[in-house]
């Protein structure tokens, strides 16, 4: 792939339905601060291309758990990481995508929960299962254009409706439901935050404290952008390292757009429909959106439904489905790859390609079922704010994952035992916090109920907890690594930042695919000399068989056989991280420009 589909696919895979629902909804509730989640990703996407991808490519890994095996050896860390990845796909990605899509379709089309869920899953499953990774990336590129055009049209129309930027800012500061304005005792509950126009907020009173952003969010972001199979898989598909860097830089530039495409429209929706979007008590929220926890999630769907004429409303539905299917297909494809390559092959070492393809399809079905079961938990979590739910859960599970990779890449002294126990201890502590979040929800605004939450919830913001969890993971990993024998130097070739340019391959660098192919080739050579082998034409399969193969992505054609020399040349090409001067210069200039614009915007909206 070239840099355009790589970057467009990264952007489209992230901009799913939660962006329409969660990002716009949180902006409606608290203002500009949620922008930090998008703009900090600019720096991390650039880091993905410049820092992480050279190591991943040089190592020759196809999945991130496979990279961990190449870096540390052994199987337990790879299996644990794979299981955690699948769990995170269920509770963070797939379930939230389905839930957000259901909210949108319910508001837009009036369908019930089960019809919406079924329609979303049916459409997505068909082309994910049939098309595979290539179909996902090409459709992502097209869907990105549809997505941006549709959202841009609504953004312009809604801004005109409120009378321009200055009028919008003035109206938002007083955008409260009538119940709030008429009831002094309940006045503060439906009012916008006084700091709504600022991104950097107070460490104690801010809903997104700047200290949490600097010391906590960065580690959640590294996990999302630099160590997630979805994004890395797209970069690995690039034709060379320059196109991988160009793709991540292109995606970073696109991450500047959500501010005007979803955040500002979400706030405008509160200005136009305060009684519904900013409902201040459980009864009015129940009437507005059938959710007593709050209705900010419907901010963007209401804008689409009431501001756009029929034709443009259809375009926005297309944009939503494009975003929804893009992220769902990416998550389903990556979860399938992770399970088949990193878990099933450990169970069935001699599994054929046909078996792996079928198991991958079944994995998708199981993951979808668990995701649907998880939806009711999302609906009742974090006061009904989808985006806050996503970030809270991420803060509980991401830091240990992040530091396993950071220490693996940048500290050669990190050992397998250190990484394993750092991940285990950090994840265990994070899961305790996550369980408490679900068990002890915060009292709603205006409630006379006493806050009985444990201090770790009531006093420690989830972004601050992310920083604490990061420190714990580092301490455990470093301590155990120093108490165990270091990894042999010859096994660190091309798997760390400091050894990525070494010519020699690591001792255990061959992937299981290559080892299996070599074994099969040797077995065939022992059976008979090449001159005695005969080629028998395979009969053309019947129609039912061809349909079966098409659905499952299988082929009856014999697998190609490569000589050892051909495999060596192929490996050298796939692990090559050299760049030509022109491509490198263009990437550097583009990265500096995008990072500079982001820095200016963060300062302007301080």
């Amino acid at each position: 792939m070239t840099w355009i589909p790589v970057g467009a696919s990264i952007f489209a895979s992230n901009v799913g339905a939660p962006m329409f629902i969660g990002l716009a909804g949180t902006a409606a509730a608290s203002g500009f601060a949620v922008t930090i989640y998008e703009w900090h990703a600019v720096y991390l996407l650039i880091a993905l291309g410049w820092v992480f991808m050279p190591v991943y490519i040089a190592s020759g890994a196809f999945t991130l758990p496979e990279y961990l095996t190449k870096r540390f050896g052994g199987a337990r860390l790879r299996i644990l990481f794979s299981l955690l990845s699948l769990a995170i796909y269920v509770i963070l990605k797939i379930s939230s995508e389905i839930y957000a899509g259901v909210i949108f379709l319910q508001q837009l089309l009036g369908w019930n929960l089960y019809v919406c869920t079924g329609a979303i899953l049916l459409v997505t499953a068909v082309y994910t299962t049939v098309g595979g990774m290539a179909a996902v990336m090409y459709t992502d590129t097209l869907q990105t254009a549809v997505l941006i055009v549709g959202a841009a049209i609504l953004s312009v129309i809604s801004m005109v409706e409120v009378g321009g930027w200055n009028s919008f800012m003035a109206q938002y500061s007083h955008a409260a439901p009538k119940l709030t304005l008429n009831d002094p005792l309940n006045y503060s509950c439906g009012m916008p935050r006084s700091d709504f126009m600022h991104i950097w907020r107070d460490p104690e009173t801010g809903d997104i404290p700047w200290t949490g952003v600097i010391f906590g969010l960065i580690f959640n972001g590294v996990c999302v952008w630099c160590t997630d199979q979805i994004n890395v898989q797209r970069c690995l598909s690039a034709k060379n390292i320059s196109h991988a860097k160009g793709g991540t830089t292109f995606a970073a530039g696109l991450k500047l757009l959500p501010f005007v495409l979803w955040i500002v429209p979400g706030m405008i929706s509160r200005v136009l429909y305060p009684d519904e979007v900013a409902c201040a008590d459980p009864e009015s929220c129940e009437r507005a959106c059938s959710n007593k926890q709050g209705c900010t999630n419907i901010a963007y769907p209401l804008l689409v439904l009431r501001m756009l004429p029929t034709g443009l409303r259809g375009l926005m539905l297309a944009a939503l489905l494009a975003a929804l299917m893009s992220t769902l297909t990416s998550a389903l494809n990556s979860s399938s790859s992770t399970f088949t390559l990193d878990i099933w092959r450990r169970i069935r070492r001699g599994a054929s390609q046909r078996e792996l393809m079928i198991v991958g399809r079944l994995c998708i079905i199981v993951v979808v079922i668990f995701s649907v079961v998880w939806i009711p938990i999302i609906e009742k979590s974090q006061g009904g704010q989808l985006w806050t739910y996503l970030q809270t859960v991420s803060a509980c599970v991401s830091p240990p994952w992040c530091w396993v990779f950071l220490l693996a890449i940048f500290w050669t002294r990190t050992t397998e035992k250190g990484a394993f126990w750092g991940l285990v201890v950090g994840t265990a502590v994070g899961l305790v916090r996550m369980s408490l979040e679900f068990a002890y929800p915060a009292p709603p605004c205006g409630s006379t109920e006493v806050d009985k939450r444990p201090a770790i919830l009531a006093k420690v913001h989830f972004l601050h907890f992310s920083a604490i969890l990061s420190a714990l993971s580092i301490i455990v990993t470093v301590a155990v690594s120093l108490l165990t024998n270091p990894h042999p130097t010859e096994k660190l070739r091309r798997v760390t930042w400091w050894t990525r340019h070494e010519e020699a391959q690591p001792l255990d660098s061959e992937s299981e695919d290559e080892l299996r192919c070599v074994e099969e080739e040797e077995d065939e050579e022992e059976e008979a000399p090449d001159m005695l082998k005969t080629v028998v034409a395979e009969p053309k399969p019947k129609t039912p068989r061809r349909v079966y193969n098409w659905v499952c992505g299988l082929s009856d054609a014999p697998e190609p056989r490569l000589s050892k020399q051909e495999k060596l040349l192929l490996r050298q090409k796939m692990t090559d991280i050299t760049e030509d001067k022109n491509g490198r210069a263009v990437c550097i200039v583009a990265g500096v420009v995008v990072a500079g614009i982001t820095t200016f915007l963060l300062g302007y909206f301080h």
Side-chain angles (χ1 to χ4, degrees), residues 387-445:
W387 193 262
T388 304
Y389 158 82
L390 295 174
Q391 303 308 321
T392 300
V393 173
S394 180
C396 296
V397 298
S398 296
W401 180 335
C402 161
W403 281 104
V404 164
F405 279 89
L406 287 177
L407 291 174
I409 291 173
F410 294 107
W411 191 41
T412 57
R413 185 62 177 79
T414 310
T415 65
E416 188 273 344
K417 290 183 178 179
F420 178 79
W421 287 110
L423 184 60
V424 168
V425 173
T427 301
V429 174
L431 290 178
V432 171
R433 162 82 185 217
M434 187 177 75
S435 301
L436 293 175
E437 290 279 2
F438 296 141
Y440 297 95
C445 180

Side-chain angles (χ1 to χ4, degrees), residues 319-363:
L320 166 83
L321 292 177
L324 172 63
M325 290 190 297
S326 174
T327 307
L328 267 183
T329 51
S330 300
L332 293 174
N333 189 279
S334 295
S335 61
S336 173
S337 300
T338 298
F339 181 80
T340 54
L341 297 178
D342 300 315
I343 297 178
W344 186 256
R345 184 163 285 171
R346 291 287 172 180
I347 301 173
R348 293 267 299 170
R349 292 185 177 273
S352 64
Q353 289 297 319
R354 179 182 298 275
E355 179 180 337
L356 293 177
M357 293 295 288
I358 295 174
V359 169
R361 270 39 175 188
L362 294 176
C363 171

